[in-house]
Amino acid sequence: MGAVTGLRLLPWSDPDGKPCYLASDDGNSPLSRRADAIEAVQMSMGVELLRHARALLGAPTADARELRYLADRLCEALRDALRVAESRGARLPSYDEGDGPDVGAAPSGAAGSS
């Protein structure tokens, strides 16, 4: 087995609510693919919930019970989206000063060549 490149925050918690991580250098492992699928479901559920929230908030007959339920589901969706963002952000390559692309430089031959 190759060197582990880092820990991946998974889109679920253990029974005590603690985060779960995957230690693997294979982004295509069965568990990694399962986590990708769950993240996709969580994000699509968030989109649907937001659509429902807009409709419910526009309805003058929405009562406090419905709005509390909506607020609870929106909190869950936000928690899931933040976990996905944290997990994906942690897997982005990091650049130390001087390691990244030179932002101010134009590609050779792009400026002033005729």
Side-chain angles (χ1 to χ4, degrees):
M1 182 170 126
V4 175
T5 57
L7 296 177
R8 175 183 178 169
L9 176 63
L10 295 172
W12 56 80
S13 300
D14 74 4
D16 295 326
K18 296 177 185 170
C20 294
Y21 294 90
L22 172 63
S24 173
D25 59 349
D26 182 7
N28 199 30
S29 69
L31 188 54
S32 185
R33 287 193 312 270
R34 177 74 172 149
D36 290 342
I38 290 173
E39 286 178 352
V41 168
Q42 288 173 328
M43 299 306 286
S44 73
M45 288 174 62
V47 168
E48 289 301 315
L49 181 59
L50 184 58
R51 201 172 286 138
H52 176 71
R54 291 202 182 277
L56 185 61
L57 292 172
T61 59
D63 65 20
R65 182 184 52 81
E66 291 172 308
L67 294 173
R68 259 192 315 279
Y69 183 80
L70 173 64
D72 285 341
R73 301 299 75 80
L74 286 170
C75 287
E76 290 170 359
L78 179 58
R79 179 205 60 216
D80 292 343
L82 290 172
R83 183 185 299 256
V84 169
E86 179 182 351
S87 176
R88 292 181 182 179
R91 288 180 277 145
L92 291 174
S94 62
Y95 293 105
D96 291 334
E97 190 173 324
D99 287 347
D102 190 1
V103 176
S108 63
S113 60
S114 335

